[in-house]
Amino acid sequence: RIFLDNTFCHPLFQHPPREAVIEEAVEVAIAKWPCVLFVSVYRLGKEQLLQALARHLKTKVFISPDRAKALAASGFSLNDFVQEPCPVAQINLEDLWRLGLHGCIWAVNGRQLRPALQRASSNGVIAHG
C-alpha cells in the first residue's frame, strides 16, 4: 500500500515558489543584520534557505551534530555549515552577545526557537527568528 498526502494540492493552497520565499527571507535578514538569526528547522529541510542566508550574509550556519551527520549522510555539501559550539540553551550569554554583534545564523529545532529568542532578547542580544 501507498498512502499519498495531497493536502496541499487543493487550489486553496497557492504557495509562492521556493525561490521567491528564499529571496524574501534573505531580504528581511539583510535588513536586520547583524544579529543572531535563529531558523527553526526539522531533521532535514530548509538547506536551500540556510545556504542562501549564509552566502548573502557572508557567514556560516551553526547546526547540531545530529543535523551535520544527517546532511553528510544525504550527500549534502557542508561548506556553508559549522557544528554549533554547544546546544543553544547552554551558550554563555557573553558569547551569544558577541555573536549578535558580528552576526550569526543558528539552525534550531522548533522547541528551541522560542526559549532561545527569549533568552537572547531578554539579555540584550539582538536576535530574530
Side-chain angles (χ1 to χ4, degrees):
R1 286 189 172 177
I2 296 176
F3 294 94
L4 299 175
D5 180 0
N6 60 4
T7 304
F8 293 107
C9 290
H10 192 280
L12 177 68
F13 299 103
Q14 293 293 320
H15 298 289
R18 180 183 308 247
E19 295 76 20
V21 173
I22 290 172
E23 183 178 323
E24 184 177 343
V26 167
E27 288 174 11
V28 170
I30 289 171
K32 297 176 184 282
W33 197 253
C35 66
V36 177
L37 179 61
F38 295 109
V39 180
S40 178
V41 296
Y42 300 107
R43 181 116 175 128
L44 283 176
K46 298 192 183 171
E47 282 72 31
Q48 289 178 319
L49 170 63
L50 295 171
Q51 280 185 315
L53 288 168
R55 291 175 183 170
H56 282 86
L57 300 173
K58 297 177 177 41
T59 190
K60 292 191 181 250
V61 179
F62 285 144
I63 57 174
S64 69
D66 287 343
R67 188 174 189 83
K69 288 178 194 169
L71 290 176
S74 68
F76 203 84
S77 169
L78 297 177
N79 292 341
D80 296 309
F81 303 95
V82 64
Q83 191 168 315
E84 62 189 2
C86 62
V88 69
Q90 296 174 8
I91 190 164
N92 176 295
L93 287 173
E94 189 173 314
D95 292 336
L96 190 60
W97 185 76
R98 275 195 205 99
L99 288 170
L101 286 178
H102 298 289
C104 164
I105 305 168
W106 204 316
V108 297
N109 70 43
R111 292 183 314 274
Q112 295 173 316
L113 180 61
R114 186 173 297 209
L117 275 168
Q118 186 173 14
R119 181 171 180 252
S121 60
S122 66
N123 286 286
V125 177
I126 300 170
H128 300 281

